[in-house]
Amino acid sequence: MSPLLMYQLVALLLLAIGLYGIVWRKSLVGMLISVELMLNGAGLSIVAASQLTEAGSSVGQIAALFVMGLAAAEATLVLAIIIVVAKRFKTVETDAVSRLKG
């Protein structure tokens, strides 16, 4: 088995765990962690492909830095949203937040 295939399988596993977490988690924080796992899988896939193929390694590293920056910005924004939701609804559970008051 080639090293690139092993890295891609690990990245796919991270993506699958993240997708599972988004679908089955009830907490907004758990969903945030799941999205971070998915972005880490994407970064791993990009770096492995750039290092183990004929593509330029610097392009892959720049793309991975872009993914990391995107993950940091996303985490900051989502944590701010979670704080606002927690103050307003007194919980971060998605079931309690999704009910409309009327």
Side-chain angles (χ1 to χ4, degrees), residues 8-97:
Q8 296 295 338
L9 288 175
V10 171
L12 183 65
L13 179 68
L14 286 173
L15 181 77
I17 292 170
L19 188 61
Y20 175 79
I22 286 177
V23 171
W24 293 107
R25 291 285 178 167
K26 301 287 184 190
S27 169
L28 294 174
V29 177
M31 289 179 175
L32 171 65
I33 292 170
S34 298
V35 170
E36 292 295 325
L37 271 175
M38 292 173 70
L39 288 171
N40 284 333
L44 174 66
S45 176
I46 291 169
V47 170
S50 70
Q51 292 292 323
L52 298 173
T53 61
E54 290 80 26
S57 62
S58 61
V59 174
Q61 291 173 1
I62 291 171
L65 284 174
F66 178 73
V67 169
M68 288 170 57
L70 181 68
E74 173 260 339
T76 304
L77 182 65
V78 171
L79 283 175
I81 292 170
I82 289 172
I83 290 171
V84 170
V85 167
K87 284 183 179 180
R88 180 176 173 128
F89 293 100
K90 307 290 189 254
T91 184
V92 292
E93 298 296 319
T94 56
D95 292 337
V97 174

